[in-house]
């Protein structure tokens, strides 16, 4: 009986749902209406412009059929910058290359529909230097360069190939070239470093290498991110007589002669007061003792000793730790930063010996610091740098210093410096205060990640931005000292990647140039690989 009652109740519930909802039924249109008819425009992206290159202000013609029907709606752009239409017919359009146009493809926009046309090369004062014979470049990032007295250069990084010269035997993270960039096969590094190299220093009759690696050449152990090699490229070694039980004959084992390193990545090394200054994101200094037996005296062993010292340390030329630098009178090390730290070292000028520290910290050596501070030559905080002010309000990713202009160029994720508006890029005086004559404009589509002020005051910026001050700039640009785009130096097209370091230099024929190192694969819309030299015509 109960089963029958429940059946009637369920049936009544279904009917109530059906009739109760029926009055609210609505008719919806089909989810996919017929699309809009295609525009009857014909454009071939493989066509060539006539002419296909020229400076801003040049008149050029593009073949396109049917555009005349939409002349009141059509917007034509040179790589993002709106062109002036000189003539528009049923089969072509004549255009004037607009100011700040850059190398890239033309686009035609009608309402929300975009057509892509041929490429146009905008000629200007920035171009890849074809006399720099780097060829296909490297297969991984380039981090540093050392200029030698004979004009040659040594590059470091994470690469294992340079211009395909390492296709048979890898060129592991270190390469020497002639002044024109061609490979110097006489530099014998053997198997090279087993991981990335960040910095190289020539000091005395040796090269010192820093990075994130544990082996070099035939010494595939007993290295902690820092070592020393000879001028020929071979690692500098020393012979040690290991422990031998009675009855065993003496022998020699070879170990790295530079006996010192760190437990973490070493970002930079410098010569400081006849010693090796190392900076990076490490916590402990590491020293090895050789020739001693293990606890049971059954074989020889290597004993590792460590000393806490964060971010900035100085070593003697044999690798031993210099405890007169960044250690207090109580024998305790200074605490360093509470976040990632990078550095700029002043090798010359009135600031000689001082060390700028910056990065992801807001405290350094126990004091509140806005992501930037400076150390004296003895490693203590420099009270003359930006005294009493708060610095940046967020992380700083890049700082470079120009000894000619006596300015720091600072790039990062900040929006204020010392309480004043400074969005992502700031120019600082030598004492760390903000230079108000420079005002960065609005970045769109991404951020700058590296900057350098040139000797004449021009400012180079690179990153992943796509527009600056509402002008199309695809990852690379050159500004005037006040933050405005320089019209003559901003015709280069698409840049893809990031720059680790840029050096103001000369071309083979003595023209002004920039050497760019990093991890990038396009410049001026041309395929490149991590290392190029660009001309800056005047």
């Amino acid at each position: 009986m109960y089963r029958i009652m429940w059946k009637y109740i369920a049936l009544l519930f279904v009917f109530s749902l059906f009739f109760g909802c029926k009055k609210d039924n609505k008719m919806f249109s089909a989810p996919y209406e017929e699309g809009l008819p295609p525009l009857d425009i014909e454009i071939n992206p493989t066509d060539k412009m006539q002419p296909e290159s020229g400076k801003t202000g040049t008149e050029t013609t593009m073949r396109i059929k049917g555009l005349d029907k939409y002349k009141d709606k059509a917007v034509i752009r040179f790589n993002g910058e709106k062109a002036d239409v000189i003539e528009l017919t049923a089969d072509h359009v004549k255009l004037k290359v607009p100011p700040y146009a850059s190398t890239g493809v033309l686009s035609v926009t009608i309402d929300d529909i975009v057509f892509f046309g041929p490429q146009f090369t905008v000629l200007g004062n920035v171009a890849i230097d074809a006399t720099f014979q780097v060829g296909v470049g490297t297969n991984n990032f380039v981090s540093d360069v050392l200029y030698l007295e004979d004009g040659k250069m040594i590059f470091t990084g994470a690469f294992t190939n340079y211009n395909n010269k390492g296709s048979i035997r890898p060129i592991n993270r270190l390469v020497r070239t002639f002044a024109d960039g061609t490979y110097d096969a006489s530099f014998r590094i053997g198997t090279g470093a087993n991981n990335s190299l960040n910095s190289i220093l020539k000091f005395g009759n040796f090269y010192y290498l820093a990075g994130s690696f544990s082996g070099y050449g035939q010494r595939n152990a007993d290295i902690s991110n820092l070592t020393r090699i000879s001028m020929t490229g071979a690692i500098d070694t020393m012979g040690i007589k290991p422990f031998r039980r009675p009855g065993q004959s003496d022998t020699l084992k070879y170990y790295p002669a530079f006996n010192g390193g760190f437990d973490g990545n070493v970002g930079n090394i410098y010569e400081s007061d006849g010693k090796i200054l190392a900076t990076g994101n490490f916590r402990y200094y590491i020293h090895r003792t050789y020739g001693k037996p293990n606890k049971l005296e059954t074989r020889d062993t290597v004993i590792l000793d460590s000393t806490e010292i964060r971010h900035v340390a100085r070593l003697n030329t044999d690798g031993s730790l210099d405890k007169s630098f960044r250690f207090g009178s109580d024998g305790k090390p200074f605490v360093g930063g509470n976040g990632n730290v990078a550095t700029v070292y002043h090798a010359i000028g009135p600031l000689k010996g001082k060390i700028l520290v910056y990065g992801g910290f807001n405290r350094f050596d126990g004091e509140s610091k806005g992501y930037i501070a400076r150390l004296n030559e003895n490693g203590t905080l420099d009270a003359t740098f930006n005294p009493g002010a708060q610095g940046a309000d967020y992380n700083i990713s890049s700082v470079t210093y120009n000894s000619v202009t006596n300015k720091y160029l600072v790039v990062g994720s900040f929006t204020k410096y010392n309480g004043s508006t400074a969005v992502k890029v700031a120019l600082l005086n030598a004492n760390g205060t903000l230079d108000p004559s420079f005002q960065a404009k609005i970045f769109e589509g991404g951020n700058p990640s590296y900057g350098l002020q040139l000797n004449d005051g021009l400012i180079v910026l690179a990153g992943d931005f796509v527009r600056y001050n509402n002008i199309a700039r695809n990852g690379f640009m050159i500004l005037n000292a006040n933050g405005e785009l320089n019209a003559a130096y901003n015709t280069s097209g698409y840049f893809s990647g990031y720059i680790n370091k840029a050096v103001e230099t000369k071309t083979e024929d003595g023209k002004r140039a920039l050497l760019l190192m990093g991890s990038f694969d396009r410049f001026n819309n041309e395929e490149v690989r991590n290392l190029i030299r660009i001309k800056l015509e005047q």
Side-chain angles (χ1 to χ4, degrees), residues 239-290:
I240 300 291
K241 283 189 175 183
F243 166 79
R244 283 292 182 264
R245 297 191 307 275
Q248 287 184 309
S249 58
D250 281 344
T251 186
L252 280 178
K253 281 189 174 182
Y254 288 89
Y255 297 96
F258 185 81
N259 189 359
F262 299 92
D263 68 321
N265 180 64
V266 181
N268 283 293
I269 47 175
Y270 316 94
E271 186 275 322
S272 171
D273 195 26
K275 300 178 182 182
I276 308 300
L277 178 67
T279 66
N281 289 302
F282 48 78
R283 181 173 180 178
Y284 291 98
Y285 161 79
I286 293 174
H287 175 82
R288 291 171 170 83
T289 300
Y290 303 110

Side-chain angles (χ1 to χ4, degrees), residues 16-220:
S16 66
L17 283 176
F18 178 77
F19 288 106
C21 296
K22 188 174 181 180
K23 63 182 179 181
D24 294 326
N25 285 351
K26 294 181 180 179
M27 298 297 292
F28 294 96
S29 60
Y32 302 105
E33 295 284 2
E34 185 177 350
L36 295 173
L39 301 181
D40 50 345
I41 287 178
E42 295 180 21
I43 183 171
N44 185 356
T46 63
D47 273 349
K48 292 185 177 182
M49 302 290 293
Q50 299 296 329
E52 56 185 316
S53 65
K55 296 183 177 182
T56 57
T58 299
E59 293 185 4
T60 183
T61 300
M62 176 175 65
R63 287 187 290 180
I64 181 170
K65 293 183 178 180
L67 187 62
D68 57 318
K69 301 174 185 176
Y70 308 97
K71 61 182 179 180
D72 295 331
K73 293 183 176 182
V75 177
I76 305 174
R77 293 183 174 91
F78 283 78
N79 198 25
E81 287 302 296
K82 186 177 178 181
D84 293 329
V85 177
I86 306 301
E87 179 181 283
L88 179 60
T89 71
D91 60 4
H92 75 270
V93 58
K94 181 180 287 188
L95 308 165
K96 180 183 285 187
V97 182
Y100 298 106
S102 56
T103 297
V105 298
L106 273 78
S107 64
V108 180
T109 304
I110 300 172
D111 294 327
D112 295 328
I113 302 174
V114 180
F115 300 86
F116 293 100
Q119 175 166 306
F120 186 86
T121 300
V122 182
L123 303 177
N125 292 5
V126 177
I128 294 175
D129 178 12
T131 68
F132 189 58
Q133 302 296 312
V134 67
V136 296
T138 66
N139 63 344
N140 210 328
F141 72 77
V142 180
S143 57
D144 197 12
V145 61
L146 175 66
Y147 284 90
L148 306 178
E149 293 84 352
D150 59 2
K152 293 181 180 180
M153 297 170 286
I154 299 179
F155 294 99
T156 62
F159 52 85
T160 58
N161 204 347
Y162 178 87
N163 196 17
N164 282 337
K165 303 300 182 182
S167 55
I168 298 175
R169 185 173 184 175
I171 300 171
N172 286 324
R173 290 97 190 180
L174 190 68
V175 66
R176 189 168 69 188
T177 73
F178 294 96
D180 65 354
T182 55
Y183 173 62
D184 180 7
S186 67
F187 192 53
R188 304 291 186 176
I189 65 170
T191 55
N194 64 359
N195 213 330
S196 60
L197 299 177
N198 299 326
S199 184
I200 181 170
L201 168 71
K202 183 181 182 295
F203 185 41
N205 294 321
F206 296 99
Y207 300 124
Y208 290 80
L209 302 174
S212 182
F213 65 108
S214 59
Y216 181 93
Q218 72 273 33
R219 303 273 75 82
N220 56 11

Side-chain angles (χ1 to χ4, degrees), residues 246-433:
Q248 287 184 309
S249 58
D250 281 344
T251 186
L252 280 178
K253 281 189 174 182
Y254 288 89
Y255 297 96
F258 185 81
N259 189 359
F262 299 92
D263 68 321
N265 180 64
V266 181
N268 283 293
I269 47 175
Y270 316 94
E271 186 275 322
S272 171
D273 195 26
K275 300 178 182 182
I276 308 300
L277 178 67
T279 66
N281 289 302
F282 48 78
R283 181 173 180 178
Y284 291 98
Y285 161 79
I286 293 174
H287 175 82
R288 291 171 170 83
T289 300
Y290 303 110
K292 299 294 184 180
N294 62 357
K295 187 175 182 179
L296 299 177
E297 295 190 355
T298 57
R299 60 182 176 83
D300 69 287
T301 188
V302 176
I303 301 171
L304 269 69
D305 296 315
S306 64
T307 303
E308 186 171 15
I309 179 73
R310 294 173 182 260
H311 299 129
V312 181
R314 193 165 66 188
L315 309 183
N316 299 306
T317 54
D318 62 354
S320 59
L321 182 63
D322 176 12
K323 288 193 175 182
S324 69
F325 180 80
R326 291 195 54 76
F327 280 82
S329 58
D330 58 357
K332 293 182 179 180
F334 297 168
V335 297
N338 63 344
N340 291 338
V341 172
T343 54
V344 173
Y345 180 72
H346 293 277
I348 59 173
L351 298 175
K352 184 177 179 180
K354 295 194 175 187
I355 308 153
L356 187 88
V357 293
Y358 65 92
F361 58 87
N362 55 22
R363 293 187 67 81
F364 199 91
D365 285 351
E367 295 189 20
S368 178
K369 297 293 178 183
Y371 306 92
I372 189 168
R374 194 166 66 197
L375 308 181
N376 293 309
E377 192 172 0
N378 63 1
T380 59
L381 280 169
D382 180 4
T384 68
F385 182 83
N386 204 25
Q390 58 266 53
D393 64 348
Y394 204 55
N395 294 344
I396 294 174
S397 58
S398 168
V399 177
T400 53
Y401 174 76
N402 187 296
S403 60
V404 175
T405 64
N406 206 23
K407 305 281 185 181
Y408 296 103
L409 186 67
V410 181
V411 177
S413 303
F414 51 86
T415 58
K416 290 183 180 297
Y417 187 87
N418 288 350
S420 298
T421 299
V423 182
K424 300 177 182 177
V425 185
L427 193 65
L428 307 184
N429 298 309
N431 64 359
T433 58

